[in-house]
PDB file of all heavy atoms in Angstrom:
ATOM      1  N   GLU Y 163    -112.337 172.430 131.869  1.00 81.00           N
ATOM      2  CA  GLU Y 163    -110.958 172.323 132.347  1.00 81.00           C
ATOM      3  C   GLU Y 163    -109.961 172.183 131.195  1.00 81.00           C
ATOM      4  O   GLU Y 163    -108.911 171.564 131.332  1.00 81.00           O
ATOM      5  CB  GLU Y 163    -110.802 171.130 133.287  1.00 81.00           C
ATOM      6  CG  GLU Y 163    -111.797 171.098 134.428  1.00 81.00           C
ATOM      7  CD  GLU Y 163    -111.807 169.768 135.134  1.00 81.00           C
ATOM      8  OE1 GLU Y 163    -110.703 169.283 135.426  1.00 81.00           O
ATOM      9  OE2 GLU Y 163    -112.896 169.218 135.352  1.00 81.00           O
ATOM     10  N   LEU Y 164    -110.290 172.760 130.039  1.00 89.00           N
ATOM     11  CA  LEU Y 164    -109.468 172.600 128.847  1.00 89.00           C
ATOM     12  C   LEU Y 164    -108.189 173.434 128.945  1.00 89.00           C
ATOM     13  O   LEU Y 164    -108.250 174.647 129.159  1.00 89.00           O
ATOM     14  CB  LEU Y 164    -110.268 173.007 127.600  1.00 89.00           C
ATOM     15  CG  LEU Y 164    -109.532 172.856 126.255  1.00 89.00           C
ATOM     16  CD1 LEU Y 164    -109.201 171.387 125.991  1.00 89.00           C
ATOM     17  CD2 LEU Y 164    -110.400 173.420 125.126  1.00 89.00           C
ATOM     18  N   GLN Y 165    -107.058 172.770 128.785  1.00 88.00           N
ATOM     19  CA  GLN Y 165    -105.764 173.446 128.772  1.00 88.00           C
ATOM     20  C   GLN Y 165    -104.994 172.993 127.533  1.00 88.00           C
ATOM     21  O   GLN Y 165    -104.962 171.799 127.216  1.00 88.00           O
ATOM     22  CB  GLN Y 165    -104.958 173.123 130.029  1.00 88.00           C
ATOM     23  CG  GLN Y 165    -105.610 173.613 131.317  1.00 88.00           C
ATOM     24  CD  GLN Y 165    -104.776 173.293 132.540  1.00 88.00           C
ATOM     25  OE1 GLN Y 165    -103.567 173.159 132.460  1.00 88.00           O
ATOM     26  NE2 GLN Y 165    -105.437 173.144 133.682  1.00 88.00           N
ATOM     27  N   ILE Y 166    -104.387 173.944 126.855  1.00 89.00           N
ATOM     28  CA  ILE Y 166    -103.690 173.652 125.598  1.00 89.00           C
ATOM     29  C   ILE Y 166    -102.278 174.227 125.659  1.00 89.00           C
ATOM     30  O   ILE Y 166    -102.073 175.385 126.018  1.00 89.00           O
ATOM     31  CB  ILE Y 166    -104.453 174.233 124.383  1.00 89.00           C
ATOM     32  CG1 ILE Y 166    -105.833 173.580 124.279  1.00 89.00           C
ATOM     33  CG2 ILE Y 166    -103.673 174.026 123.096  1.00 89.00           C
ATOM     34  CD1 ILE Y 166    -106.663 174.062 123.107  1.00 89.00           C
ATOM     35  N   ASP Y 167    -101.304 173.391 125.286  1.00 82.00           N
ATOM     36  CA  ASP Y 167     -99.902 173.805 125.214  1.00 82.00           C
ATOM     37  C   ASP Y 167     -99.671 174.504 123.874  1.00 82.00           C
ATOM     38  O   ASP Y 167     -99.679 173.867 122.826  1.00 82.00           O
ATOM     39  CB  ASP Y 167     -98.996 172.582 125.340  1.00 82.00           C
ATOM     40  CG  ASP Y 167     -97.506 172.938 125.279  1.00 82.00           C
ATOM     41  OD1 ASP Y 167     -97.192 174.128 125.113  1.00 82.00           O
ATOM     42  OD2 ASP Y 167     -96.680 172.014 125.392  1.00 82.00           O
ATOM     43  N   GLU Y 168     -99.467 175.830 123.930  1.00 84.00           N
ATOM     44  CA  GLU Y 168     -99.261 176.615 122.712  1.00 84.00           C
ATOM     45  C   GLU Y 168     -97.822 177.111 122.609  1.00 84.00           C
ATOM     46  O   GLU Y 168     -97.528 178.053 121.867  1.00 84.00           O
ATOM     47  CB  GLU Y 168    -100.226 177.808 122.694  1.00 84.00           C
ATOM     48  CG  GLU Y 168    -101.699 177.396 122.650  1.00 84.00           C
ATOM     49  CD  GLU Y 168    -102.650 178.582 122.644  1.00 84.00           C
ATOM     50  OE1 GLU Y 168    -102.191 179.703 122.972  1.00 84.00           O
ATOM     51  OE2 GLU Y 168    -103.829 178.401 122.307  1.00 84.00           O
ATOM     52  N   SER Y 169     -96.902 176.457 123.322  1.00 73.00           N
ATOM     53  CA  SER Y 169     -95.524 176.961 123.398  1.00 73.00           C
ATOM     54  C   SER Y 169     -94.846 176.988 122.032  1.00 73.00           C
ATOM     55  O   SER Y 169     -94.051 177.895 121.750  1.00 73.00           O
ATOM     56  CB  SER Y 169     -94.698 176.114 124.374  1.00 73.00           C
ATOM     57  OG  SER Y 169     -94.661 174.769 123.969  1.00 73.00           O
ATOM     58  N   THR Y 170     -95.137 176.020 121.164  1.00 68.00           N
ATOM     59  CA  THR Y 170     -94.486 176.014 119.858  1.00 68.00           C
ATOM     60  C   THR Y 170     -95.014 177.105 118.948  1.00 68.00           C
ATOM     61  O   THR Y 170     -94.364 177.475 117.968  1.00 68.00           O
ATOM     62  CB  THR Y 170     -94.682 174.654 119.154  1.00 68.00           C
ATOM     63  OG1 THR Y 170     -96.078 174.403 118.984  1.00 68.00           O
ATOM     64  CG2 THR Y 170     -94.047 173.533 119.953  1.00 68.00           C
ATOM     65  N   LEU Y 171     -96.196 177.646 119.267  1.00 77.00           N
ATOM     66  CA  LEU Y 171     -96.793 178.690 118.433  1.00 77.00           C
ATOM     67  C   LEU Y 171     -96.573 180.080 118.998  1.00 77.00           C
ATOM     68  O   LEU Y 171     -96.282 181.027 118.267  1.00 77.00           O
ATOM     69  CB  LEU Y 171     -98.302 178.422 118.271  1.00 77.00           C
ATOM     70  CG  LEU Y 171     -99.072 179.367 117.358  1.00 77.00           C
ATOM     71  CD1 LEU Y 171     -98.591 179.217 115.921  1.00 77.00           C
ATOM     72  CD2 LEU Y 171    -100.566 179.098 117.439  1.00 77.00           C
ATOM     73  N   THR Y 172     -96.700 180.223 120.320  1.00 75.00           N
ATOM     74  CA  THR Y 172     -96.630 181.550 120.936  1.00 75.00           C
ATOM     75  C   THR Y 172     -95.415 181.751 121.831  1.00 75.00           C
ATOM     76  O   THR Y 172     -95.073 182.880 122.154  1.00 75.00           O
ATOM     77  CB  THR Y 172     -97.882 181.815 121.792  1.00 75.00           C
ATOM     78  OG1 THR Y 172     -97.886 180.906 122.912  1.00 75.00           O
ATOM     79  CG2 THR Y 172     -99.153 181.620 120.981  1.00 75.00           C
ATOM     80  N   GLY Y 173     -94.770 180.656 122.277  1.00 65.00           N
ATOM     81  CA  GLY Y 173     -93.657 180.773 123.218  1.00 65.00           C
ATOM     82  C   GLY Y 173     -94.100 180.777 124.665  1.00 65.00           C
ATOM     83  O   GLY Y 173     -93.272 180.807 125.568  1.00 65.00           O
ATOM     84  N   GLU Y 174     -95.413 180.710 124.931  1.00 67.00           N
ATOM     85  CA  GLU Y 174     -95.937 180.670 126.297  1.00 67.00           C
ATOM     86  C   GLU Y 174     -95.490 179.377 126.959  1.00 67.00           C
ATOM     87  O   GLU Y 174     -95.716 178.286 126.439  1.00 67.00           O
ATOM     88  CB  GLU Y 174     -97.461 180.765 126.265  1.00 67.00           C
ATOM     89  CG  GLU Y 174     -98.134 180.570 127.607  1.00 67.00           C
ATOM     90  CD  GLU Y 174     -97.772 181.661 128.609  1.00 67.00           C
ATOM     91  OE1 GLU Y 174     -98.109 182.824 128.359  1.00 67.00           O
ATOM     92  OE2 GLU Y 174     -97.139 181.326 129.617  1.00 67.00           O
ATOM     93  N   SER Y 175     -94.837 179.468 128.120  1.00 62.00           N
ATOM     94  CA  SER Y 175     -94.216 178.296 128.739  1.00 62.00           C
ATOM     95  C   SER Y 175     -95.201 177.416 129.494  1.00 62.00           C
ATOM     96  O   SER Y 175     -94.892 176.274 129.811  1.00 62.00           O
ATOM     97  CB  SER Y 175     -93.097 178.738 129.693  1.00 62.00           C
ATOM     98  OG  SER Y 175     -93.592 179.637 130.651  1.00 62.00           O
ATOM     99  N   VAL Y 176     -96.408 177.932 129.800  1.00 73.00           N
ATOM    100  CA  VAL Y 176     -97.390 177.184 130.586  1.00 73.00           C
ATOM    101  C   VAL Y 176     -98.629 176.947 129.732  1.00 73.00           C
ATOM    102  O   VAL Y 176     -99.047 177.829 128.974  1.00 73.00           O
ATOM    103  CB  VAL Y 176     -97.767 177.967 131.863  1.00 73.00           C
ATOM    104  CG1 VAL Y 176     -98.860 177.258 132.635  1.00 73.00           C
ATOM    105  CG2 VAL Y 176     -96.535 178.165 132.734  1.00 73.00           C
ATOM    106  N   PRO Y 177     -99.239 175.737 129.805  1.00 83.00           N
ATOM    107  CA  PRO Y 177    -100.483 175.499 129.054  1.00 83.00           C
ATOM    108  C   PRO Y 177    -101.532 176.565 129.353  1.00 83.00           C
ATOM    109  O   PRO Y 177    -101.665 177.028 130.486  1.00 83.00           O
ATOM    110  CB  PRO Y 177    -100.920 174.119 129.551  1.00 83.00           C
ATOM    111  CG  PRO Y 177     -99.653 173.443 129.949  1.00 83.00           C
ATOM    112  CD  PRO Y 177     -98.792 174.533 130.519  1.00 83.00           C
ATOM    113  N   VAL Y 178    -102.271 176.944 128.329  1.00 87.00           N
ATOM    114  CA  VAL Y 178    -103.246 178.028 128.445  1.00 87.00           C
ATOM    115  C   VAL Y 178    -104.614 177.468 128.820  1.00 87.00           C
ATOM    116  O   VAL Y 178    -105.100 176.508 128.206  1.00 87.00           O
ATOM    117  CB  VAL Y 178    -103.354 178.802 127.115  1.00 87.00           C
ATOM    118  CG1 VAL Y 178    -104.379 179.924 127.230  1.00 87.00           C
ATOM    119  CG2 VAL Y 178    -101.988 179.362 126.729  1.00 87.00           C
ATOM    120  N   GLN Y 179    -105.232 178.057 129.847  1.00 88.00           N
ATOM    121  CA  GLN Y 179    -106.585 177.678 130.265  1.00 88.00           C
ATOM    122  C   GLN Y 179    -107.581 178.285 129.272  1.00 88.00           C
ATOM    123  O   GLN Y 179    -107.563 179.482 129.021  1.00 88.00           O
ATOM    124  CB  GLN Y 179    -106.870 178.201 131.679  1.00 88.00           C
ATOM    125  CG  GLN Y 179    -108.200 177.758 132.249  1.00 88.00           C
ATOM    126  CD  GLN Y 179    -108.172 176.300 132.686  1.00 88.00           C
ATOM    127  OE1 GLN Y 179    -107.147 175.824 133.154  1.00 88.00           O
ATOM    128  NE2 GLN Y 179    -109.283 175.614 132.530  1.00 88.00           N
ATOM    129  N   LYS Y 180    -108.440 177.453 128.698  1.00 91.00           N
ATOM    130  CA  LYS Y 180    -109.363 177.906 127.660  1.00 91.00           C
ATOM    131  C   LYS Y 180    -110.775 178.092 128.202  1.00 91.00           C
ATOM    132  O   LYS Y 180    -111.190 177.432 129.156  1.00 91.00           O
ATOM    133  CB  LYS Y 180    -109.378 176.909 126.499  1.00 91.00           C
ATOM    134  CG  LYS Y 180    -108.051 176.779 125.763  1.00 91.00           C
ATOM    135  CD  LYS Y 180    -107.663 178.061 125.061  1.00 91.00           C
ATOM    136  CE  LYS Y 180    -106.379 177.913 124.268  1.00 91.00           C
ATOM    137  NZ  LYS Y 180    -106.032 179.139 123.527  1.00 91.00           N
ATOM    138  N   GLN Y 181    -111.508 179.009 127.567  1.00 90.00           N
ATOM    139  CA  GLN Y 181    -112.902 179.271 127.896  1.00 90.00           C
ATOM    140  C   GLN Y 181    -113.597 179.814 126.641  1.00 90.00           C
ATOM    141  O   GLN Y 181    -112.940 180.357 125.756  1.00 90.00           O
ATOM    142  CB  GLN Y 181    -113.001 180.254 129.070  1.00 90.00           C
ATOM    143  CG  GLN Y 181    -112.249 181.560 128.883  1.00 90.00           C
ATOM    144  CD  GLN Y 181    -113.029 182.599 128.094  1.00 90.00           C
ATOM    145  OE1 GLN Y 181    -114.262 182.539 128.060  1.00 90.00           O
ATOM    146  NE2 GLN Y 181    -112.329 183.518 127.453  1.00 90.00           N
TER     147      GLN Y 181
END
Side-chain angles (χ1 to χ4, degrees):
E163 307 167 47
L164 181 63
Q165 297 181 26
I166 298 181
D167 180 359
E168 297 180 344
S169 60
T170 60
L171 184 65
T172 66
E174 173 64 64
S175 56
V176 176
V178 179
Q179 185 75 34
K180 296 295 183 177
Q181 54 83 24

